[in-house]
């Protein structure tokens, strides 16, 4: 029996498809355990490639999404595939050797999936509980912006600067991660807002002047998304 | 890359009678000059990693790029010759295999960084004094190659100035 798993998933609810596969596989091969592995897929952008102009060019958005993020997704799927094979053979050495690739590509997938939601063409300002939290932790929105900006500008090499949430102290914090290290697994902070300072995020448009890119990014932040992430983290 | 003694913006006797010419001459030409000479001899760059981040990052960036401009050139490409070629063949089996491994090192570097070929005083390649470097920070290739780092790496071979690399090799092995 040949079923196009990917095709189904694109059109239907994932968990019910998963159940269907398991049930079907048990009927066809009742003695065989079939592991239905869901591959990661590139999420769609919630806006057109040119929607963030003039802050971020359509060219950058397209490359960033279709090339960079897609590569993380593909490489993550490959790394997971190899990891599962190694696990089935009880090959611990290979599993361990694969962890940098999982971290790098998995982190890249996590980070960019958040990033696309963090942007909003019309921009705005934080309000409500989010603004209260910002004021409580930083004194003012401007102070927070300055802190986040200087962190982003001074980050050496490739990485991300984050506004994150500390669950145990119910507070906001600014943190940086190198390369594609994902914030939560690395620091425990829940990611609310990310600034990607890998050169691919801005170079075609801003060249070496990262400071201009960071300054402009605040014009297109989706503060509602940031607020939603905070609310979810606080549940 | 050396620090230089800056020239005085006036003659030695210009501050007389408050400060005499002889003092100015010795103070500048001997004392200050000695600081410059000793600073250069301290070879900061060789130990740049030991300094705090701002110095390490920028000092390292300065050192790395200074080498980078020199080992590239308009009439680049071709192959290394002489002792360097022998050393490469010895360590990698062949020049082609060296290129493959060097390219792979650059291509698989996560995030920002460099691929290096280095040699020690015993002519062992791998560790020691860098003689060839390839920048794989995105700024080194993004305008022309975008995300296609392997294409940049393939093109890099056409600009390598093997004569310069050879000169650095000879200097590193004490030649």
């Amino acid at each position: 029996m040949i079923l196009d798993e990917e095709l189904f998933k694109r059109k239907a609810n994932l968990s019910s498809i998963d159940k269907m596969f398991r049930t079907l596989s048990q009927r066809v091969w009742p003695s065989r355990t079939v592991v239905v592995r869901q591959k990661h897929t590139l999420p769609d952008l919630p806006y057109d490639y040119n929607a963030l102009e003039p802050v971020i060019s359509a060219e950058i958005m397209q490359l960033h999404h279709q090339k960079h993020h897609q590569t993380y997704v593909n490489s993550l799927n490959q790394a997971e595939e190899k990891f599962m094979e190694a696990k089935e053979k009880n090959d611990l050495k290979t599993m361990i050797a694969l962890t940098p690739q999982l971290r790098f590509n998995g982190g890249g997938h996590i980070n960019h999936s958040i990033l696309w939601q963090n942007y909003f063409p019309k921009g705005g300002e934080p309000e409500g509980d989010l603004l209260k939290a910002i004021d409580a932790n930083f004194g003012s929105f401007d102070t927070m912006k300055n802190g986040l900006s200087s962190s982003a500008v001074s980050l050496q090499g490739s990485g991300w600067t984050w506004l994150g949430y500390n669950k145990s102290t119910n507070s906001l914090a600014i943190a940086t991660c190198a390369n594609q290290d994902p914030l939560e697994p690395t620091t425990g902070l829940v990611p609310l807002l990310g600034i990607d300072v890998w050169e691919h995020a801005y170079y075609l448009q801003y060249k070496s002047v990262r400071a201009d890119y960071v300054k402009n990014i605040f014009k297109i932040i989706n503060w509602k998304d940031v607020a939603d992430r905070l609310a979810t983290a606080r549940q | 890359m050396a620090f230089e003694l800056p020239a005085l913006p006036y003659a030695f006797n210009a501050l007389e009678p408050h400060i005499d010419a002889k003092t100015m001459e010795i103070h500048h030409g001997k004392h200050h000059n000695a600081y410059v000479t000793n600073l250069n001899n301290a070879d900061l760059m060789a130990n740049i990693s030991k300094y705090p981040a701002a110095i390490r990052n920028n000092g390292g960036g300065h050192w790395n790029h200074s080498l980078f401009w020199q080992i590239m050139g308009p009439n680049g490409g071709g192959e290394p010759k002489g002792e360097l070629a022998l050393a490469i063949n010895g360590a990698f089996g062949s020049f082609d295999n060296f290129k493959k491994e060097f390219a792979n090192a650059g291509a698989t570097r996560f995030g920002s960084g460099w691929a290096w070929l280095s040699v020690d005083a015993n002519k062992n390649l791998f560790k020691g004094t860098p003689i060839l470097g390839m920048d794989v920070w995105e700024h080194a290739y993004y305008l022309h190659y975008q995300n296609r780092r392997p294409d940049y790496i393939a093109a890099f071979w056409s600009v390598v100035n093997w004569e310069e690399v050879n000169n650095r090799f000879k200097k590193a092995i004490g030649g």
Side-chain angles (χ1 to χ4, degrees):
Chain A
M1 191 189 301
I2 298 163
L3 291 165
D4 189 335
E5 191 179 313
E6 288 307 307
L7 181 58
F8 270 110
K9 280 175 190 166
R10 260 179 249 138
K11 300 189 177 189
N13 174 272
L14 291 182
S15 63
S16 65
I17 291 298
D18 200 348
K19 259 188 242 172
M20 186 177 92
F21 267 100
R22 290 180 195 273
T23 316
L24 280 166
S25 67
Q26 255 134 43
R27 279 199 203 138
V28 175
W29 304 289
S31 58
R32 182 178 154 174
T33 309
V34 175
V35 177
V36 179
R37 193 177 75 77
Q38 291 172 356
K39 285 193 176 184
H40 300 281
T41 54
L42 182 70
D44 286 333
L45 293 188
Y47 34 73
D48 289 337
Y49 285 126
N50 63 4
L52 303 179
E53 296 215 344
V55 174
I56 307 182
S57 66
E59 193 188 8
I60 288 181
M61 287 306 291
Q62 193 163 351
L63 281 164
H64 206 172
H65 182 247
Q66 285 184 5
K67 301 288 180 193
H68 293 276
H69 189 174
Q70 182 71 74
T71 301
Y72 292 129
V73 169
N74 297 344
S75 302
L76 174 61
N77 285 330
Q78 282 167 29
E80 281 190 353
E81 194 83 51
K82 289 190 198 155
F83 189 90
M84 306 273 275
E85 283 166 14
K87 171 94 179 99
E88 270 166 39
K89 293 183 206 156
N90 272 321
D91 181 358
L92 183 58
K93 282 194 284 185
T94 300
M95 286 164 68
I96 292 172
L98 284 166
T99 51
Q101 284 175 53
L102 288 171
R103 177 168 158 189
F104 185 63
N105 294 296
H109 181 38
I110 290 172
N111 293 339
H112 289 86
S113 300
I114 296 172
L115 187 68
W116 310 137
Q117 303 295 326
N118 276 169
Y119 290 151
F120 178 60
K122 294 203 187 114
E125 298 236 334
E127 30 180 65
D129 283 345
L130 173 61
L131 183 57
K132 282 199 198 110
I134 289 173
D135 287 343
N137 286 271
F138 298 98
S140 70
F141 175 47
D142 274 346
T143 307
M144 187 280 281
K145 259 197 343 182
N146 288 340
L148 205 55
S149 300
S150 56
S151 173
V153 171
S154 61
L155 197 157
Q156 276 292 302
S158 302
W160 291 67
T161 290
W162 293 95
L163 176 67
Y165 174 70
N166 185 330
K167 282 187 189 175
S168 41
T169 58
N170 186 29
S171 62
L172 301 181
I174 292 170
T176 59
C177 285
N179 297 328
Q180 294 296 349
D181 291 351
L183 185 69
E184 197 165 357
T186 308
T187 68
L189 295 171
V190 175
L192 305 179
L193 169 62
I195 302 182
D196 184 354
V197 293
W198 278 64
E199 287 169 330
H200 65 238
Y202 61 90
Y203 207 81
L204 291 179
Q205 196 176 340
Y206 293 91
K207 315 296 190 300
S208 60
V209 192
R210 193 195 285 180
D212 283 355
Y213 156 70
V214 172
K215 189 163 150 225
N216 283 339
I217 225 63
F218 286 100
K219 296 178 186 166
I220 52 159
I221 301 300
N222 184 348
W223 292 108
K224 187 179 175 306
D225 177 65
V226 180
D228 287 346
R229 291 176 190 276
L230 177 61
T232 304
R234 276 173 162 171
Q235 277 164 10
Chain B
M1 286 272 270
F3 288 96
E4 285 175 8
L5 179 70
L8 287 183
Y10 36 72
F12 289 133
N13 64 4
L15 306 183
E16 298 221 346
H18 316 287
I19 306 181
D20 57 288
K22 200 74 198 161
T23 294
M24 289 305 290
E25 194 180 349
I26 300 173
H27 203 173
H28 177 259
K30 302 290 178 192
H31 291 276
H32 188 174
N33 197 42
Y35 289 128
V36 174
T37 304
N38 293 336
L39 182 59
N40 285 328
N41 289 339
D43 202 2
L44 291 178
M45 284 308 190
N47 297 300
I48 207 77
S49 320
K50 298 177 185 166
Y51 293 94
I55 298 173
R56 173 187 161 158
N57 291 332
N58 295 294
H62 178 36
W63 197 98
N64 293 344
H65 289 83
S66 299
L67 177 148
F68 193 49
W69 311 136
Q70 296 297 320
I71 57 89
M72 292 192 294
N75 302 310
E79 299 203 4
K81 300 189 175 95
E83 269 212 86
L84 174 58
L86 282 172
I88 286 176
N89 288 340
F92 296 95
S94 68
F95 178 55
D96 274 346
N97 203 47
F98 154 71
K99 282 207 298 187
K100 210 167 127 204
E101 293 209 17
F102 189 86
N104 191 54
T108 57
R109 170 75 196 183
F110 286 168
S112 304
W114 291 69
W116 296 103
L117 178 68
S118 305
V119 67
D120 66 19
N122 295 320
K123 304 183 194 180
N124 294 315
L125 292 172
F126 296 130
K127 281 187 184 177
T129 306
I131 59 174
L132 171 68
M134 178 175 66
D135 190 349
V136 292
W137 281 61
E138 287 175 326
H139 64 238
Y141 59 88
Y142 209 83
L143 290 180
H144 192 57
Y145 294 97
Q146 289 86 58
N147 61 307
R148 305 181 315 274
R149 193 194 286 184
D151 288 355
Y152 155 70
I153 293 174
F156 174 73
W157 298 115
S158 301
V159 297
V160 175
N161 177 352
W162 285 108
E163 203 186 311
E164 174 64 21
V165 179
N166 198 28
N167 289 342
R168 287 170 183 266
F169 174 75
K170 285 195 269 199
K171 194 162 169 229
I173 64 174

